[in-house]
């Protein structure tokens, strides 16, 4: 797990979210973290280290998740 993933998980958990690091799933391109919180829509977080880019399949998965009614964001290093 990257430093940015660890930092992101700690930040969200400090605000009451339950975070799951999605290491290997049956959906290629799925976000790195699933964050859950009572009263909130599930949140998928894609982590991008400095110099890394969002791949077309990751963009497709993000749109797919949003169309299903979930939240999906991309968190880049230094943001």
């Amino acid at each position: 797990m990257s430093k940015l993933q660890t930092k992101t998980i700690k930040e969200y958990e400090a605000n009451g979210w339950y975070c799951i690091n999605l290491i290997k799933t049956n959906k290629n391109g799925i976000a790195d973290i699933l964050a859950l919180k009572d009263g909130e829509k599930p949140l998928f977080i894609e982590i991008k280290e400095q110099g890394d880019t969002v791949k077309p399949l990751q963009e497709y998965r993000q749109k797919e998740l949003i169309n299903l009614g979930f939240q999906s964001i991309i968190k880049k290093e230094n943001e």
Side-chain angles (χ1 to χ4, degrees):
M1 184 172 2
S2 74
K3 289 181 183 180
L4 184 55
Q5 282 180 334
T6 301
K7 179 182 173 186
T8 300
I9 288 171
K10 286 180 181 181
E11 287 174 4
Y12 276 85
E13 287 184 340
N15 287 304
W17 292 83
Y18 183 85
C19 295
I20 302 167
N21 184 16
L22 302 174
I23 297 170
K24 184 174 172 94
T25 73
N26 65 325
K27 299 283 187 197
N28 291 335
I30 200 70
D32 297 306
I33 300 167
L34 170 58
L36 305 168
K37 185 175 182 178
D38 188 37
E40 299 282 346
K41 290 181 181 182
L43 171 61
F44 289 83
I45 308 168
E46 176 63 35
I47 302 294
K48 288 295 173 195
E49 299 292 336
Q50 190 170 14
D52 199 4
T53 60
V54 179
K55 311 300 184 280
L57 181 56
Q58 292 171 323
E59 289 177 349
Y60 173 82
R61 291 290 183 218
Q62 183 181 38
K63 289 175 188 171
E64 188 177 52
L65 291 166
I66 291 168
N67 288 336
L68 288 168
F70 302 123
Q71 300 178 82
S72 180
I73 62 170
I74 297 169
K75 183 167 179 149
K76 297 180 181 178
E77 194 167 28
N78 298 325
E79 284 190 357

